Amino acid sequence: MIYSPHTLQVKVVKPLEKDDYGRPIPGTGGESWVDVCKCRCDDNSTKEFTSDNGSVYRPAYHIVCSGKISVKAGDSIRCMNGEEVRGKGLVYMVKQLNMLNYSEVWV
């Protein structure tokens, strides 16, 4: 992708480790943000999706990444513009195109 000013990050949650008795060990586990790829994050207020049960969903952001990405529906992601958060939320849908080699994510 020629124009990709933002960085896509996914939240990784590491569970607490447990001792021999099944008790959580303090100081283990936690959350961190991991870089996935460069991307373009656009505000989206026009596209609507209708689920199988008839509910309508209008995503707030449309993210385009080059290549195939490992993000799936339900993941918590954010797009960074330098140190500033451009957009964040839960992934609603991911589309990966074969011929054009890019992925689309709706948040």
Side-chain angles (χ1 to χ4, degrees):
M1 186 164 60
I2 296 170
Y3 181 68
S4 53
H6 308 119
T7 303
L8 180 66
Q9 295 181 334
V10 65
K11 183 190 283 187
V12 176
V13 179
K14 183 178 176 187
L16 290 171
E17 295 178 15
K18 298 190 178 192
D19 63 7
D20 295 338
Y21 299 106
R23 297 177 296 209
I25 300 172
T28 62
E31 297 177 350
S32 62
W33 291 96
V34 178
D35 290 351
V36 175
C37 63
K38 298 297 282 179
C39 66
R40 184 185 78 231
C41 179
D42 300 320
D43 290 333
N44 182 41
S45 61
T46 58
K47 182 124 177 140
E48 289 183 350
F49 296 102
T50 305
S51 66
D52 294 336
N53 64 1
S55 61
V56 176
Y57 178 76
R58 181 175 287 151
Y61 297 100
H62 175 233
I63 302 165
V64 180
C65 305
S66 59
K68 293 189 177 187
I69 58 173
S70 60
V71 175
K72 59 188 178 298
D75 286 351
S76 181
I77 64 170
R78 69 181 181 183
C79 285
M80 300 297 290
N81 187 12
E83 295 296 319
E84 178 185 335
V85 176
R86 168 87 171 119
K88 67 178 181 175
L90 295 177
V91 175
Y92 177 70
M93 184 188 317
V94 179
K95 245 200 239 186
Q96 296 178 344
L97 286 80
N98 294 333
M99 296 297 286
L100 300 175
N101 197 25
Y102 72 91
S103 300
E104 294 181 316
V105 180
W106 282 274
V107 179

